[in-house]
Amino acid sequence: MSRSDLRAQHGGPDGGPPILWDFSSNANAVPTAPHVLAALVQADRQRYPDPHYTALREHLAQHAKVLPEHIVPTAGSSEGIRRLTLAAHLGGVQHVGVPQPGYGDYAAAAQAIGMSVSPLSDPHAHLDWIESLSPGTPALLWLCEPCNPTGRSAPESFWRDLHALMAQRPRLTVALDRAYEPLRLRGHDPVPPAVAAACWQLWSPNKALGLTGVRAGWMQAPAESLATETQAAISAEQLLKLAPSWVLSAEGLALLMTWHEPATQAWLLDARQTLSAWMTQQQAALQDLGWQHEPSDTPFFVSRPPRLSGPSEVQDTTALLQHLQHLRDHGIKLRDATSFALPGLLRLRTHCPQAQAALLHCLHAWHGPHSSARTSA
């Protein structure tokens, strides 16, 4: 396996010229709350943070209504994914199930240490994979709710069936990535509290705050993990030991301490309303150009542009990549979804009206006579 096979692709900076309008990330595009930025500026950079993060763990535990021992600080979800996977491996896990389409770090973390990875295409495939495991087989299942890149939620029936199967597979560890729940625009969180309490939950509010450069998050241990650590493949104490002495910087610590403040949550509520309006506008403008969007509960979504060069899928994909490079040369970055196992599709972030206008201006030349008057609006 080559080194490149072990590195997941991401949106955002790519080593090229500065990106003026970034549609490739799925972070909140609304300008960050001023009081959160002020907290980052005021963070004490002259001293090490408490390596035990005692106050932070107590703060997060209070809001989650769990014991501080259940909170494990992380340098964002990507670092948490790597650490949780390593802990599972050290606990005897060799089989890992990952969503496909899904975030590439789940598979990359497992492949990097020689674990067996099973891509699972839909909720039924997840359940079938669990049923294929013998009750005594240690395994790790990754889930993302809402899902990246689609922005969709699994049906409530899936979560009920999952809970029943988890009770039959005591050596199954389920890790639930919650990075995008704070950005939900439609519907409600379908995960029953009993299921959430039985999973490892990964939270990283930097995406919702539009501050992906501040790497900060936490993992929340399953409710029963402290009482059953002799049977569990992963324990909170082990995850703490696998972390560097200071996994969070002063800025990361400050970000997490502001997350549950009423002012932050009020700002986020307003931001979601703004994003909903921007998303309606952006999707309508692209639909006028013949783009087809998949349903999404979040401000990011998967979309298929019109065919570019005839019936050949290979020609179509090649032309798409050429046009993406053309946009990139003009300071606009879109996310090719091939790395999500969705060739020919793009994952788009909802962006501000100025960014939309820049994108539509470039797309007018791309689509030629099929462009509508909306592109010049």
Side-chain angles (χ1 to χ4, degrees):
M1 183 176 293
S2 70
R3 182 177 179 86
S4 61
D5 290 333
L6 303 178
R7 297 183 63 87
Q9 296 184 30
H10 302 90
D14 53 13
I19 302 172
L20 302 179
W21 302 111
D22 188 2
F23 289 83
S24 70
S25 165
N26 49 13
N28 188 347
V30 174
T32 304
H35 74 277
V36 175
L37 292 175
L40 301 185
V41 170
Q42 295 165 12
D44 187 355
R45 300 173 179 84
Q46 294 184 322
R47 296 174 179 83
Y48 290 117
D50 169 16
H52 303 293
Y53 297 98
T54 304
L56 173 65
R57 295 176 74 193
E58 290 177 350
H59 172 77
L60 296 174
Q62 179 182 9
H63 286 276
K65 295 180 174 56
V66 298
L67 295 172
E69 289 81 2
H70 282 81
I71 301 297
V72 179
T74 69
S77 289
S78 292
E79 187 272 328
I81 290 166
R82 294 276 175 168
R83 198 172 359 145
L84 193 71
T85 302
L86 175 59
H89 178 63
L90 294 174
V93 172
Q94 282 298 320
H95 303 282
V96 182
V98 302
Q100 189 177 64
Y103 185 42
D105 275 35
Y106 308 133
Q111 291 168 345
I113 51 180
M115 301 171 81
S116 174
V117 176
S118 297
L120 306 171
S121 59
D122 57 50
H124 292 295
H126 287 76
L127 300 175
D128 291 343
W129 181 76
I130 297 172
E131 290 185 319
S132 73
L133 302 169
S134 65
T137 301
L140 172 63
L141 175 66
W142 282 100
L143 299 169
C144 185
E145 178 57 51
C147 179
N148 172 28
T150 65
R152 292 200 295 267
S153 286
E156 294 183 5
S157 59
F158 163 75
W159 299 104
R160 292 194 298 268
D161 293 342
L162 173 65
H163 196 212
L165 284 176
M166 289 173 68
Q168 301 169 17
R169 301 293 192 280
R171 302 201 69 188
L172 172 67
T173 298
V174 179
L176 182 55
D177 188 342
R178 309 290 273 161
Y180 310 104
E181 184 58 40
L183 285 173
R184 181 183 294 277
L185 302 182
R186 299 167 184 164
H188 65 278
D189 181 2
V191 184
V195 177
C199 299
W200 280 94
Q201 297 182 72
L202 283 74
W203 297 91
S204 51
N206 50 11
K207 294 180 181 65
L209 294 172
L211 293 170
T212 52
V214 183
R215 306 306 304 157
W218 73 92
M219 292 183 276
Q220 183 175 318
E224 300 301 321
S225 63
L226 297 185
T228 60
E229 282 185 2
T230 56
Q231 301 176 26
I234 306 172
S235 71
E237 184 61 29
Q238 181 188 27
L239 287 169
L240 291 168
K241 290 178 179 178
L242 288 174
S245 296
W246 290 279
V247 67
L248 281 178
S249 67
E251 293 88 350
L253 179 61
L255 182 144
L256 295 185
M257 291 297 288
T258 65
W259 173 239
H260 290 102
E261 291 182 0
T264 304
Q265 294 303 306
W267 170 86
L268 183 59
L269 177 62
D270 289 342
R272 286 195 294 261
Q273 294 174 345
T274 298
L275 288 168
S276 183
W278 287 356
M279 184 172 177
T280 298
Q281 174 181 315
Q282 181 172 315
Q283 289 191 329
L286 292 174
Q287 283 175 340
D288 282 352
L289 296 177
W291 291 51
Q292 299 175 354
H293 312 307
E294 297 291 332
S296 174
D297 301 319
T298 67
F300 56 88
F301 54 95
V302 171
S303 185
R304 181 185 296 278
R307 282 201 172 274
L308 303 172
S309 60
S312 169
E313 189 70 30
V314 173
Q315 291 177 347
D316 197 51
T317 301
T318 300
L320 172 61
L321 295 177
Q322 291 173 346
H323 281 290
L324 290 181
Q325 184 58 52
H326 174 75
L327 290 169
R328 181 68 183 88
D329 293 340
H330 285 76
I332 300 172
K333 186 176 180 184
L334 277 64
R335 177 71 189 273
D336 170 28
T338 299
S339 65
F340 294 116
L342 296 172
L345 302 179
L346 302 174
R347 188 198 67 190
L348 293 174
R349 163 203 202 184
T350 293
H351 219 316
C352 65
Q354 296 94 322
Q356 293 181 31
L359 174 62
L360 293 171
H361 177 76
C362 287
L363 291 184
H364 182 80
W366 176 352
H367 295 291
H370 298 291
S371 299
S372 78
R374 185 186 292 272
T375 59
S376 60

